[in-house]
Amino acid sequence: MSILFVINQLSGNSDKVNPQALVRAFPEDKADFFYIRKPSDTWSPHGYDKIAVCGGDGTLSQALNLCRGLPVTLYYVPCGTFNETAKTHKKGAPMTPKAFIGNIGGRCFSYVAAAGSFTSIGYSVSASAKKKFKIFAYLAKVVGAYKVHNIPATLRVGDKTYSDSFTLIMFIDSSRCFGFNFNRIYKDTSDLYLLTVKSPGKNSLLNKIKIFFPFFRAFFIGFSKPYDSRNMHFCKISEAELVLSSPRDFCLDGDKVVLDGSLKISKQPSDVRLYIVKKLK
């Protein structure tokens, strides 16, 4: 059996990764190492029985997409800044299998796919800032990302259709996002959760004040049940269709991805056996 250890040295807490501990955790396997030192560094899972990735949620998301359709077992060792996927699944055995993976437009995501207000924070923080300032590197971006967006879109969820201009569209497979443990109805099943915030119009001071209240309601108060108002909608979904009128920047687990057109969103049975490694000896 062979294993490839992928260590993302751009992640916020990669300095804590102990290569010897990784090898000890898989003593029966022939081990190779690949180090991600710059964003353009790429690796391949081909030729390996197991892949162990050390990094943040974005590192895991990239691994899920690279390993799709291959007969490999994927292990995730969280050493990012937020590690929302691992924190959501912190209960249970040291290695917890995750059976369903989020999918938007044919791309896997481990915990969130979102566009609009504040979402650029996920991919705009530099690696050096994350390593030096940790979570505070993200907080420093909040004021600049506090903008009203206008995303004309149509959302079809079950027998309901929502056509509007949104300042936030979020599909989330987690109880958490950016440190806010707001989704208290989360269950790790085949369901996703949808949060939308309606845009009040142009990016003006008055409209920034208007979006403060639904954002405060969503992330600081949180949800214990579905919520539906004139400006905000939060619910559990099994699948959805999002139709965008123009290309939009999305944050997929902390990575920037441009999406456009008609997109199918769902949780799908994972064809990669994924384990979240909670602790190494």
Side-chain angles (χ1 to χ4, degrees):
M1 302 288 281
S2 59
I3 185 168
L4 175 66
F5 294 107
V6 179
I7 300 176
N8 186 355
Q9 294 189 321
L10 303 176
S11 59
N13 290 294
S14 61
D15 294 341
K16 296 181 180 179
V17 176
N18 184 340
Q20 288 74 31
L22 292 172
V23 173
R24 286 197 298 270
F26 301 89
E28 73 282 7
D29 298 302
K30 177 183 178 297
D32 290 327
F33 282 83
F34 183 92
Y35 291 89
I36 299 174
R37 296 186 172 93
K38 55 183 185 296
S40 59
D41 286 343
T42 57
W43 57 274
S44 172
H46 292 279
Y48 294 95
D49 304 294
K50 301 174 184 177
I51 306 290
V53 293
C54 308
D57 296 292
T59 307
L60 171 59
S61 183
Q62 292 168 4
L64 287 168
N65 283 286
L66 284 171
C67 294
R68 288 178 67 183
L70 297 178
V72 300
T73 301
L74 178 62
Y75 298 88
Y76 170 49
V77 182
C79 59
T81 306
F82 281 100
N83 302 315
E84 300 291 40
T85 304
K87 288 176 181 176
T88 290
H89 300 279
K90 63 184 178 180
K91 297 180 180 180
M95 291 187 181
T96 305
K98 186 172 173 59
F100 291 88
I101 301 297
N103 188 289
I104 180 167
R107 292 183 63 97
C108 296
F109 63 93
S110 66
Y111 88 100
V112 72
S117 299
F118 298 108
T119 58
S120 63
I121 296 173
Y123 52 78
S124 62
V125 178
S126 68
S128 59
K130 286 188 284 186
K131 294 176 78 68
K132 185 175 182 180
F133 300 110
K134 309 303 181 186
I135 190 174
F136 297 103
Y138 290 89
L139 296 177
K141 295 281 187 176
V142 169
V143 173
Y146 190 4
K147 297 178 181 179
V148 179
H149 288 247
N150 283 278
I151 308 174
T154 297
L155 273 160
R156 299 186 180 95
V157 182
D159 59 353
K160 296 183 178 180
T161 299
Y162 306 91
S163 291
D164 219 319
S165 183
F166 302 95
T167 191
L168 176 69
I169 300 172
M170 175 182 285
F171 299 95
I172 187 159
D173 181 18
S174 172
S175 62
R176 309 168 55 89
C177 188
F178 288 122
F180 293 101
N181 195 23
F182 74 100
N183 183 4
R184 293 189 291 273
I185 63 174
Y186 176 77
K187 302 291 184 184
D188 185 22
T189 64
S190 58
D191 294 314
L192 285 168
Y193 299 82
L194 169 66
L195 172 64
T196 63
V197 178
K198 183 179 177 181
S199 175
K202 63 181 181 179
N203 184 38
S204 65
L205 176 60
L206 177 60
N207 285 338
K208 286 182 180 180
I209 294 171
K210 288 181 179 179
I211 67 170
F212 171 82
F213 298 101
F215 275 89
F216 184 88
R217 169 65 182 84
F219 294 102
F220 286 90
I221 297 176
F223 300 102
S224 297
K225 59 183 180 180
Y227 181 89
D228 199 7
S229 72
R230 183 169 61 90
N231 295 317
M232 185 167 62
H233 183 72
F234 176 78
C235 67
K236 180 171 66 174
I237 64 172
S238 57
E239 60 182 11
E241 181 184 12
L242 171 64
V243 182
L244 298 168
S245 60
S246 61
R248 293 289 169 179
D249 294 341
F250 271 71
C251 177
L252 262 66
D253 302 326
D255 287 343
K256 179 181 176 180
V257 177
V258 179
L259 299 176
D260 191 15
S262 179
L263 305 165
K264 300 291 186 181
I265 301 97
S266 65
K267 278 179 76 173
Q268 299 178 0
S270 176
D271 57 1
V272 176
R273 188 158 180 80
L274 168 65
Y275 289 91
I276 300 172
V277 182
K278 306 300 177 61
K279 187 176 180 180
L280 292 172
K281 296 182 179 179

